[in-house]
């Protein structure tokens, strides 16, 4: 579809803002070189962004202390604010952030996954708004990151971790905060967006992003473009069939039918791993999260039973990844998981499993962990930043 003149102008504003956001301080001349826009256009665009309080001018004194100080541009992080939510089975974490993503206020609230979930979420947001001086005139947008699943309209939370829920999150937010843009996305998709748009892999074209926890989510950055931008079109590998991989696999998949037992989710999904931990490492820990942390601690101490479970995880991951690496010519594999506490052992064992075969094909792959923790508010912030970069949110503030 052809972009109208006005839409194109807002897109230029967003593009220039993105360049400024990626540098601590950048000159108009450098913006022109990087963007390909004419210097005269950059002057007009940056004036609009300054007037809209998205950026500001800063001076940088020459090292030798002579001549006029250099004038550069940086993000005006303190004027506009972002409201960000991370919702999981454990509760709802809310933060008020600067435009840069820096947290101003943050608070965690418990929620029930039962019939009162709507009331719990509404009360949590309402409490935050009233106790932390959220100024509606400064608020650009609200972003909610859901550690679970949402419906296709992105208005209702249908699952948190492994629990089925019915939370009308869009209705709740729009009732409490009117006339603001609301972004509701699944956590995995926003993690992908944060890493591909803001993270350390910007210079790589072919990357596998793998999230391993209660779900097994995977997406591929191919030639610099994400194959799956919509959470309802993700690469579904949960049901990928694994070969029989020993004793631990029999424990993780017991009482399942002959097809389901060999599916990846029933081999190394966290609900499956809980069975293995309880069987091989008897415990009285209260929840899955505690058991995973304990398992990682024992693996670091090289407990033989924990290492047996770890080997089971790496065998399955190596089998799955080897096929995808060959198909997509992957350069990097990025893992996001609570298992990053043992990432060195995990990565070393995966490499050991697949390096021999890959080297025959002349393929080398690096393994890295996400620069963002699973609870980083930069993950929901990425949805708002993306909308600013495209110019869509700037249009709400600046009138051309």
């Amino acid at each position: 579809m052809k972009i109208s003149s006005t839409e194109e102008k807002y897109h230029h504003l967003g593009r220039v803002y993105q360049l400024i956001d990626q540098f601590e301080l950048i000159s108009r001349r450098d913006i022109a070189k990087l963007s390909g826009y004419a210097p005269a256009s950059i002057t007009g665009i940056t004036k609009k962004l300054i007037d809209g309080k998205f950026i500001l001018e800063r001076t940088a004194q020459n090292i030798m202390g002579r001549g006029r100080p250099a004038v550069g541009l940086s993000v005006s992080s303190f004027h506009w604010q972002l409201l960000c939510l991370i919702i999981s089975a454990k509760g709802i974490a809310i933060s008020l952030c600067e435009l840069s993503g820096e947290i101003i206020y943050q608070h965690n609230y418990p929620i029930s996954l039962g019939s009162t979930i709507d009331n719990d979420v509404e009360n949590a947001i309402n409490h935050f708004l009233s106790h932390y001086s959220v100024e509606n005139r400064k608020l650009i947008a609200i972003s909610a990151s859901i550690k679970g699943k949402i419906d296709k309209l992105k208005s209702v939370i249908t699952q948190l971790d492994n629990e089925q829920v019915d939370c009308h999150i869009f209705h709740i937010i729009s009732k409490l905060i009117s006339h603001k843009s609301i972004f509701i996305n699944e956590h995995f998709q926003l993690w992908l967006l944060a890493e591909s748009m803001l993270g350390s892999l910007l210079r790589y074209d072919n990357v596998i992003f793998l999230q391993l926890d209660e779900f097994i989510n995977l997406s591929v950055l191919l030639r610099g473009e994400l194959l799956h931008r919509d959470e309802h079109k993700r690469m579904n590998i949960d049901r990928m069939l694994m070969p029989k991989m020993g004793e631990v696999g029999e424990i993780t998949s017991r009482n399942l039918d002959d097809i389901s037992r060999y599916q990846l989710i029933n081999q190394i999904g966290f609900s499956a791993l809980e069975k293995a931990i309880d069987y091989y490492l008897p415990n009285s820990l209260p929840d899955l999260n505690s058991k995973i942390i304990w398992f990682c601690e024992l693996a670091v101490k090289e407990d033989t039973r924990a290492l047996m479970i770890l080997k089971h995880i790496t065998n399955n991951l190596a089998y799955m990844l080897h096929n995808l690496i060959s198909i997509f010519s992957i350069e990097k594999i990025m893992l996001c998981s609570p298992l990053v506490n043992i990432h060195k052992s995990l990565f070393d064992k995966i490499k050991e499993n697949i390096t021999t075969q890959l080297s025959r094909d002349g393929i080398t792959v690096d393994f890295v962990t996400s620069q963002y923790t699973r609870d980083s508010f930069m993950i929901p912030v990425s949805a708002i930043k993306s909308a600013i970069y495209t110019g869509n949110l700037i249009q709400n503030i600046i009138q051309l």
Side-chain angles (χ1 to χ4, degrees), residues 65-343:
R66 297 177 181 175
R68 292 179 60 188
V71 176
L73 299 165
S74 65
V75 170
S76 176
S77 61
F78 51 81
H79 183 80
W80 297 111
Q81 297 176 347
L82 322 173
L83 187 65
C84 297
L85 291 67
I86 299 177
I87 303 177
S88 69
K90 294 187 294 184
I92 174 170
I94 307 177
S95 74
L96 184 68
C97 300
E98 296 178 348
L99 196 56
S100 63
E102 289 294 318
I103 295 174
I104 304 170
Y105 305 116
Q106 178 184 346
H107 198 92
N108 297 328
Y109 299 89
I111 58 173
S112 166
L113 300 187
S115 59
T116 64
I117 186 169
D118 277 10
N119 287 334
D120 290 349
V121 171
E122 182 174 338
N123 290 338
I125 298 173
N126 206 22
H127 180 276
F128 189 91
L129 294 175
S130 60
H131 282 71
Y132 291 100
S133 303
V134 178
E135 297 182 56
N136 194 61
R137 64 184 180 83
K138 287 188 174 184
L139 196 61
I140 285 186
I142 302 96
S143 176
S145 182
I146 312 304
K147 290 188 176 180
K149 295 182 179 179
I150 57 178
D151 70 334
K152 290 187 177 182
L153 296 177
K154 296 189 176 183
S155 62
V156 178
I157 303 173
T158 60
Q159 187 172 336
L160 289 174
D161 294 343
N162 289 318
E163 297 291 330
Q164 300 297 316
V165 298
D166 185 29
C167 178
H168 301 81
I169 184 65
F170 184 86
H171 172 74
I172 293 168
I173 295 174
S174 58
K175 182 172 68 172
L176 296 175
I177 308 171
S178 59
H179 308 298
K180 299 294 179 182
S181 296
I182 301 171
F183 301 94
I184 299 172
N185 296 278
E186 292 179 7
H187 200 69
F188 176 67
Q189 292 301 128
L190 289 184
W191 172 63
L192 283 181
L193 185 62
E195 282 292 356
S196 60
M197 183 177 67
L198 308 172
S200 57
L201 297 185
L202 292 173
R203 295 182 179 87
Y204 293 92
D205 289 334
N206 303 307
V207 182
I208 285 178
F209 296 93
L210 175 65
Q211 181 187 53
L212 173 61
D213 46 40
E214 289 83 1
F215 305 98
I216 304 172
N217 286 313
L218 183 143
S219 192
V220 177
L221 186 74
L222 189 61
R223 293 190 290 273
E225 291 291 330
L226 284 172
L227 291 185
H228 304 87
R229 291 184 177 274
D230 188 332
E231 55 263 37
H232 302 293
K233 296 179 181 177
R234 67 164 65 83
M235 185 177 289
N236 191 335
I237 60 170
D238 285 356
R239 294 182 177 83
M240 181 183 286
L241 294 179
M242 297 290 107
K244 187 175 181 180
M245 291 188 180
E247 178 185 327
V248 178
E250 296 299 317
I251 299 301
T252 62
S253 60
R254 59 185 173 184
N255 302 324
L256 296 176
D257 61 72
D258 289 341
I259 297 296
S260 299
R261 67 186 304 128
Y262 294 114
Q263 291 175 348
L264 187 61
I265 188 67
N266 295 319
Q267 289 291 317
I268 61 171
F270 274 16
S271 293
L273 290 180
E274 185 175 21
K275 297 177 185 177
I277 293 169
D278 288 343
Y279 183 85
Y280 292 106
L281 307 168
N283 62 86
S284 57
L285 296 169
D287 53 48
L288 174 58
N289 186 57
S290 302
K291 293 175 184 180
I292 293 296
I293 293 172
W294 187 51
F295 157 66
C296 290
E297 290 173 352
L298 291 177
V300 170
K301 295 176 182 178
E302 298 188 344
D303 178 276
T304 54
R305 298 161 300 169
L307 291 179
M308 186 165 61
I309 297 173
L310 178 61
K311 183 178 180 181
H312 172 73
I313 297 170
T314 56
N315 284 345
N316 278 272
L317 287 178
Y319 178 87
M320 179 267 293
L321 290 171
H322 179 267
N323 290 288
L324 295 177
I325 291 167
S326 300
I327 292 170
F328 295 114
S329 301
I330 294 300
E331 303 167 89
K332 294 271 186 182
I333 295 174
M334 173 168 280
L335 177 68
C336 178
S337 172
L339 295 179
V340 295
N341 296 331
I342 51 170
H343 72 270

Side-chain angles (χ1 to χ4, degrees), residues 321 325 332-334 347 350-351 354 365-369:
L321 290 171
I325 291 167
K332 294 271 186 182
I333 295 174
M334 173 168 280
F347 288 168
I350 294 174
K351 284 181 181 179
I354 65 177
V365 179
D366 289 333
F367 292 78
V368 294
T369 54

Side-chain angles (χ1 to χ4, degrees), residues 4-22:
S4 71
S5 177
T6 301
E7 288 177 328
E8 191 172 18
K9 288 177 181 177
Y10 283 117
H11 178 75
H12 293 335
L13 287 171
R15 171 62 177 148
V16 168
Y17 175 85
Q18 181 178 9
L19 288 172
I20 295 169
D21 195 27
Q22 289 173 349

